[in-house]
């Protein structure tokens, strides 16, 4: 029997791809998700691609909220009673839209921070003390050095970023309170994009996408007329913003590496950037996506978006050293796989492939 992992938010974009990678590696999963920003169809497809039965010991689903201590206590108690306690938790559940967090800060503190606290209390009460946490490069705010090492100052510039920094601090405090007890990985993702190469699993944002990559794929498939490029006067090679785009399958494999590291090594709190180390501009993405899809991507150059940084690129060397993990996939792979997903599912999970 494989190790058993509780995955919060496992139906979401990064969670669904990570669940697939973990199932293929032999882990048994229970996914807790309230489907606030995802569809159960994602998990039906994960099960199909992994060739496991939904609802079997390999892959179970519980609809519920991480803020509900009764739900959490029930899950941990039932797992122990059935002789299959959780060996670890991967905690994806949360909200992630910067602009929404500025309008609804209390919601972000509630779900991202209080929800994480409730989860940690349940883990502690049930002696499950191995956790992989979804942090974000957003904790660096406007970076002072690029590429950004993990030692860079934590200086978020929006409520979403503060919520991630607050959970990281909570984990640091928890680890200090009980030395040699917890196994924790705080993973700071850069810009996750792309899709599973099958075209069956991908990113399905609700409403108009905030992020560049899903917006580009929706322009290519004809759901949006044109891309607005936010700023063409940034101090970058072509004037447009530069980011570190990471294929979601590389990111999923990064979670597997972090989980393996925690389970195989002793208690620790490790903090890693998960990024490629490569800086790619908005126009680089547009051109690469055009080449991969054969579609024209009409765009207009417009004003900068408030709150954006010119360049955000990871220093990925720490992750390479301690997780023995680095990205393998190229921008061309990202565009090919993102296009396969968007073409097969023009309306996302609402319309079956
Ligand atoms: P997502 O919205 O696709 O997935 C989040 C999942 O959590 C969804 O399935 C949603 O329904 C679920 N969820 C939300 N609130 C919940 C609650 N109260 N209880 C139970 N389930 C709940 O987002 P994603 O892109 O997969 O991101 C996963 C994690 O990674 C998030 O914590 C996010 O902040 C973090 N992150 C994402 C990015 C990114 O650009 N996608 C970058 C850095 C960090
Ligand atoms: N961009 C456009 N047009 C769009 C959308 C984005 O030109 O329609 C540009 C942005 O200005 C930026 C780049 O594309 O230069 C990437 O923007 P995204 O919104 O895709 O990603 P961000 O880097 O702004 O944000 C991501 C995550 C956030 C996280 C942040 C910092 O989505 O959750 O990284 O790590 F907070």
């Amino acid at each position: 029997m494989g190790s058993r992992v509780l995955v919060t938010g496992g139906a979401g974009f990064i969670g669904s791809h990570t669940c697939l990678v973990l199932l293929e590696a032999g882990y048994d999963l229970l996914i807790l998700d309230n489907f606030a920003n995802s569809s159960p169809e994602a998990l039906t497809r994960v099960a199909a691609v992994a060739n496991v039965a939904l609802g079997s010991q390999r892959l179970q689903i519980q609809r519920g909220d991480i803020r509900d201590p009764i739900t959490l206590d029930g899950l941990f108690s039932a797992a122990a009673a059935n002789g299959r306690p959780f060996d670890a938790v991967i905690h994806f559940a949360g909200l992630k839209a910067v602009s929404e967090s500025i309008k609804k800060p209390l919601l972000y503190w509630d779900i991202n921070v209080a929800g994480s606290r409730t989860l940690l209390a349940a883990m502690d009460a049930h002696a499950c003390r191995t956790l992989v946490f979804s942090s974000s490069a957003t904790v660096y705010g406007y970076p002072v050095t690029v590429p950004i090492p993990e030692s860079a100052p934590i200086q978020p510039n929006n409520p979403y970023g503060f919520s991630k920094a607050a959970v990281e601090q909570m984990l640091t405090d928890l680890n200090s309170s009980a030395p040699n007890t917890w196994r924790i990985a705080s993973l700071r993702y850069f810009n996750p994009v792309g899709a599973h190469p099958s075209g069956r699993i991908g990113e399905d944002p609700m409403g108009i996408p905030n992020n560049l990559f899903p917006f580009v794929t929706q322009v290519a498939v004809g759901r949006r007329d044109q891309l607005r490029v936010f700023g063409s006067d940034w101090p970058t090679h072509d004037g447009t913003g530069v980011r570190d785009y990471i294929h979601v399958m590389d990111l999923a494999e990064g979670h597997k590496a972090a989980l393996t590291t925690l389970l195989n090594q002793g208690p620790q709190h490790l903090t890693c950037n998960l990024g490629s180390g490569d800086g790619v501009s908005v126009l680089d993405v547009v051109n690469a996506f055009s080449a991969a899809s054969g579609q024209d991507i009409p765009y207009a150059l417009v004003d900068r978006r408030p709150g954006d940084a010119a360049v955000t690129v990871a220093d990925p060397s720490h992750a390479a050293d301690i997780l023995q993990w680095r990205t393998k996939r190229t921008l061309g792979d990202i565009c090919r796989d993102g296009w396969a997903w968007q073409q097969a599912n023009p309306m996302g999970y609402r319309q079956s492939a």
Side-chain angles (χ1 to χ4, degrees), residues 119-130:
L119 175 67
L120 288 166
M123 290 177 67
D124 201 26
H126 291 272
C128 172
R129 299 194 180 94
T130 300

Side-chain angles (χ1 to χ4, degrees), residues 12-14 33-34 36-38 65-66 92 96 135 160 164:
F13 172 43
I14 303 167
D33 203 302
N34 66 359
N37 194 39
S38 57
D65 197 304
I66 53 161
F92 293 108
K96 61 171 181 175
S135 189
Y160 169 63
K164 290 294 179 188

Side-chain angles (χ1 to χ4, degrees), residues 150-330:
E150 287 81 355
S151 56
I154 301 305
Q155 44 185 29
N157 55 8
N158 57 67
Y160 169 63
F162 277 107
S163 76
K164 290 294 179 188
V167 176
E168 283 200 16
Q169 185 62 50
M170 185 158 43
L171 294 172
T172 299
D173 294 347
L174 190 59
N175 189 49
S176 306
S177 75
N180 296 318
T181 306
W182 286 83
R183 299 166 189 234
I184 299 171
S186 291
L187 303 181
R188 296 176 180 161
Y189 315 153
F190 279 66
N191 288 59
V193 287
H196 188 263
S198 65
R200 301 272 293 147
I201 304 162
E203 186 171 15
D204 184 18
M206 293 186 181
I208 301 171
N210 295 310
N211 296 121
L212 175 67
F213 195 81
F215 204 103
V216 167
T217 68
Q218 291 192 8
V219 170
V221 85
R223 271 176 77 179
R224 315 266 163 217
D225 291 340
Q226 68 170 11
L227 173 73
R228 288 181 303 155
V229 176
F230 296 136
S232 49
D233 58 351
W234 295 105
T236 62
H237 63 270
D238 61 14
T240 66
V242 165
R243 294 290 180 274
D244 183 334
Y245 296 95
I246 172 171
H247 194 300
V248 66
M249 291 303 295
D250 278 329
L251 188 56
E253 289 165 5
H255 287 75
K256 185 177 77 170
L259 186 60
T260 311
T261 301
L262 293 179
L263 291 173
N264 291 346
Q265 295 179 0
Q268 58 188 309
H269 181 187
L270 59 88
T271 301
C272 280
N273 289 336
L274 295 188
S276 70
D278 297 327
V280 169
S281 76
V282 175
L283 292 182
D284 291 336
V285 170
V286 167
N287 293 332
F289 199 84
S290 251
S293 66
Q295 304 296 306
D296 195 28
I297 309 292
Y299 65 84
L301 303 176
V302 303
D303 287 347
R304 293 179 179 188
R305 183 172 64 177
D308 273 352
V311 181
T312 307
V313 175
D315 176 345
S317 55
H318 188 55
D321 287 346
I322 63 173
L323 303 180
Q324 276 78 55
W325 167 91
R326 59 179 71 245
T327 60
K328 295 189 295 216
R329 295 161 179 90
T330 65

Side-chain angles (χ1 to χ4, degrees), residues 67 95 98-115 158-160 162-163:
R67 290 168 295 177
L95 302 181
V98 171
S99 55
E100 183 187 48
S101 79
I102 294 167
K103 291 187 196 111
K104 300 179 182 172
L106 296 183
L107 185 65
Y108 276 67
W109 281 87
D110 186 30
I111 294 179
N112 290 5
V113 183
N158 57 67
Y160 169 63
F162 277 107
S163 76

